Structure formats: C-alpha cells, structure tokens
Amino acid sequence: MESVTVLIVGVGPAGLATAACLSQFSIPYIIVERESCSASLWRNRSYDRLKLHLAKEFCELPHMSYPVDAPTYIPKTLFVKYLDDYVERFNIQPKYLTSVESSTYDNDEKCWSIVANDMSKCTTVKFTAKFLVVASGENSAENIPMFIGLENFPGDVIHSSSYKSGNKYSGKNVLVVGSGNSGMEIAYDLATHGANTSIVIRSPIHVMTKELIRLGMSLAHRLPLNLVDNLLVMSANLIFGDLSRHGITRPKMGPMTLKSETGRSAVIDVGTVGLIKKGIIKVQGSINEIRGNTVEFQCSKKISFDAIVFATGYKSTTNVWLKNGESILNGNGLPIQKYPNHWKGENGIYCAGLARRGLAGIATDAKNIANDIKSVINSMSS
C-alpha cells in the first residue's frame, strides 16, 4: 500500500500539466499510466500529417512555452518532443504500464482507495490518496458505430486511430465515415495518395480556415461571441461559397458559440473542400446497410468499397474503474457540470482535460486543480 497526497490517472497532456502545476507548489503526487509511454494517443494513434489545428499560442501547457522558432501550427512530431521536454523540465516520473482497476472513496478514512495492475510485473498495487485527478482523457476507447452487415465487410475496416497514411490505398475505393477534423483530413490524405475517396457527412458542420479560427479565438476575449460568429461565418462564406450544393450545411449556432455550448469544433479545412468541389472527393449521406463490399446509403445509392475508415471519435472508459465519481462525471464518463465549473467534484476528486476545450482548456484545468488542492491543504494545516 502506497500512500500519497495526490494520485493522477493518465499521462497525456492533462496529466502532465496537472503534475507540473502541483510541482510548482511542492505538492507530492504519483502519476500512473496504463500505456508504456506518455501521450500515447499522439505517439501511436494519430496519422502522419497531423498538426495541431490551433495556433501555438492556444496550445501551450502551463509554465513552459514552445521554442521561439517553432512554427505557428505545431506538427505532431514537434508536439511530442515538446511533451518529452515538459516531462524532463518538471521531473515528472510516471509509473507506466500501471492500469487502474478500481477507485473508491473511503468515507471512514476520508481518502481514495485505488487498486491498479502493474502490467510489467503482473502484480496488484494499491494506493491511498487524499486527492484523485482523472486525467485519462475522453479518447480512451475507439468508437465504431454498428451498421447492419459491417461484420461481413470483406475489406479493411479501421478506426482513424490506426490510420497513418493513404499510401497503401492508392487506386482503391475508400469510404471515410465521420466529418470532423480527423475525417476531413484523412479524406484529403487518401485522395492526394490516389484513392477514390468518399466521405459520409451526416450532420451540419462549420468549415473554417485555420486563420479564421485563430482570429475568432483572439477576438472572443474582446467581443461578444455572437458578433465573432457573424464575422467568421461571413468570412467563411466569402472564402468557400455556398457548400450546401456539395452536401455540406452549416449549423444554426455559430462556430464559437457551438464550441462553447457543446464542445463541438469547427472543421479546419486542409484542402478537402477544394477536392469536394472538384468532385475528387465524393460526399455521401447516411449509411443504411452494408452487403458484402457494397454500402447502401439512405438515398438508395449503392457503392462498392475496398476499405472503410471510421473517424467517429472515442469513448471515455473512466466509469469502468471509477466508483463514487458521480459528483463529477456522468454515465458517459464526461463532466456533469458545464464549463467552467466542470473540473471539481466532492471528496477531493477532480478531472482535467474532459471539457472538450483543447490544450488551452487542459492548461486552465491543471492550474485550477493545483490551486484548489493547495488551498485545501493550507486550510487543513491552519
């Protein structure tokens, strides 16, 4: 049994940021991670051409800036190096290959009791912690929706987390399901590698340029969101024109308000829209069913594919191991309270990086959590 002041679960950006903020106050912590490395999603489950979608000023973790010569939009490899440097700077020493199996609150002892599996030694390890920080992310388990006949599809079926490059799909018919940033960028990557690419776009989406989003995020600090939204939508219409004839419609809510209210991000165009307009990437509606290698869409159109890529997001698995967390997380493992009051629950439990606010939201969560823990510790000792 190891006793600690704070236990952090997860060594992605949220866990690392929280650890760094705690270290600024010399608050002892242990940080555990089920994978064998930090930021495994970025290292092992993201495609090669990925860059951070937001400008670097919105993507820094607390207490450490990017190098002065870093590009405005940070590529994946540079971001991973930034995280490695961050671990070194704050002397963060994660316990890797440590998978939390259960975590319960002990009312008598007024602490969290955590049971974990040390996968490297095949042993059970136990911790008690005054404070528990859930930083295991929204992106724990792949989410692949079930369609009739999918299990009998003879071609490749992969989740976007397994997609690296369109190299191997040249000349093949590939369907991308999901029209968020990953889906739209993967469709572009496939098409530029010579795949005959279709993408399912079911819901209205805002399509923006990265420069427009950067402008919007800068203006949001100074102007009402509805005013910023009007400016962004007007600008996007000038840049892209009317996309409804190509199967892309806009939500009624503006892009900044939509992000603020629902956590849904605008799609930042990397060239996909141009290829859709040229007919190189085909937009399809909802899938009805799959028969063999033929996908039947709800409009009754039938097309044969060699591969399907699901860019349909992830699910949180926190509720599998977290018991007594109902004061902070709902049944989907996401915060009950709306931003900005989402990060704190009862009995010393916190969550970092679950508000769908990107790296800027992670930085804010980490600072709030460390400040609150420091305040509680000070009040206990006074």
Side-chain angles (χ1 to χ4, degrees):
M1 179 73 76
E2 198 167 349
S3 188
V4 67
T5 305
V6 186
L7 185 84
I8 305 169
V9 182
V11 186
L16 295 176
T18 305
C21 289
L22 289 170
S23 70
Q24 297 298 292
F25 298 135
S26 301
I27 296 171
Y29 66 85
I30 287 175
I31 183 166
V32 299
E33 167 61 50
R34 69 181 180 186
E35 303 292 340
S36 59
C37 60
S38 64
S40 65
L41 183 69
W42 291 92
R43 282 178 214 277
N44 305 326
R45 293 190 282 157
S46 56
Y47 44 94
D48 293 343
R49 59 168 288 123
L50 178 64
K51 292 182 180 179
L52 297 187
H53 292 123
L54 303 181
K56 62 184 176 184
E57 64 263 31
F58 303 113
C59 297
E60 288 183 348
L61 297 185
H63 311 300
M64 187 173 130
S65 298
Y66 288 101
V68 178
D69 59 351
T72 303
Y73 296 91
I74 306 288
K76 168 175 110 167
T77 50
L78 192 58
F79 182 62
V80 168
K81 184 182 185 310
Y82 170 77
L83 293 177
D84 286 341
D85 292 344
Y86 197 83
V87 167
E88 193 174 330
R89 162 83 70 90
F90 297 104
N91 192 28
I92 301 168
Q93 297 178 16
K95 291 181 183 291
Y96 292 119
L97 295 171
T98 302
S99 175
V100 175
E101 304 295 322
S102 72
S103 178
T104 53
Y105 186 70
D106 187 326
N107 267 308
D108 296 328
E109 298 293 331
K110 303 297 180 199
C111 68
W112 289 88
S113 178
I114 299 102
V115 178
N117 177 25
D118 182 336
M119 293 183 278
S120 62
K121 298 174 184 170
C122 295
T123 57
T124 297
V125 288
K126 295 180 180 180
F127 305 95
T128 59
K130 186 72 186 167
F131 306 98
L132 177 65
V133 181
V134 178
S136 45
E138 305 161 290
N139 301 339
S140 303
E142 300 165 357
N143 179 43
I144 295 184
M146 281 311 301
F147 293 104
I148 297 169
L150 177 62
E151 68 277 9
N152 297 319
F153 181 77
D156 284 358
V157 176
I158 65 166
H159 187 266
S160 57
S161 59
S162 302
Y163 180 91
K164 294 298 177 189
S165 161
N167 270 332
K168 62 185 276 193
Y169 297 106
S170 180
K172 295 188 174 179
N173 297 333
V174 185
L175 177 65
V176 179
V177 181
S179 55
N181 278 299
S182 294
M184 292 289 263
E185 188 159 1
I186 286 170
Y188 176 82
D189 190 60
L190 284 162
T192 54
H193 279 96
N196 303 312
T197 308
S198 291
I199 184 168
V200 171
I201 301 181
R202 294 173 298 171
S203 307
I205 52 173
H206 283 293
V207 180
M208 297 277 145
T209 64
K210 60 189 179 187
E211 293 79 13
L212 277 180
I213 290 296
R214 189 183 189 188
L215 174 67
M217 291 185 73
S218 301
L219 291 177
H221 296 298
R222 303 177 182 90
L223 296 172
L225 275 192
N226 64 326
L227 208 61
V228 178
D229 279 339
N230 289 341
L231 177 65
L232 294 184
V233 169
M234 199 162 54
S235 303
N237 284 338
L238 285 171
I239 293 165
F240 297 110
D242 178 15
L243 295 179
S244 60
R245 72 182 85 165
H246 302 288
I248 301 173
T249 58
R250 286 196 179 281
K252 290 187 172 65
M253 205 179 278
M256 301 299 289
T257 306
L258 189 70
K259 181 67 179 172
S260 176
E261 295 286 325
T262 69
R264 280 179 57 203
S265 299
V267 169
I268 297 171
D269 183 52
V270 294
T272 314
V273 169
L275 297 187
I276 287 172
K277 284 179 170 181
K278 290 175 183 172
I280 294 170
I281 295 174
K282 308 280 194 303
V283 173
Q284 311 295 348
S286 296
I287 295 171
N288 191 29
E289 66 175 318
I290 299 168
R291 294 189 180 188
N293 66 350
T294 301
V295 177
E296 183 180 313
F297 298 93
Q298 285 184 359
C299 61
S300 298
K301 191 190 296 182
K302 297 177 182 177
I303 306 173
S304 294
F305 291 100
D306 302 301
I308 303 175
V309 180
F310 283 95
T312 42
Y314 298 83
K315 294 180 285 195
S316 167
T317 57
T318 303
N319 283 339
V320 173
W321 57 265
L322 178 64
K323 312 305 173 197
N324 312 124
E326 52 280 343
S327 69
I328 193 167
L329 301 180
N330 63 22
N332 296 320
L334 298 173
I336 291 170
Q337 296 289 333
K338 278 193 170 183
Y339 178 90
N341 304 310
H342 61 284
W343 53 274
K344 182 180 180 180
E346 296 169 1
N347 300 323
I349 188 171
Y350 303 89
C351 66
L354 294 180
R356 302 179 77 180
R357 298 275 165 162
L359 291 160
I362 282 172
T364 303
D365 287 351
K367 290 175 190 171
N368 284 337
I369 290 166
N371 286 333
D372 195 69
I373 289 174
K374 177 175 180 276
S375 171
V376 174
I377 290 172
N378 287 346
S379 67
M380 285 162 57
S381 58
S382 61

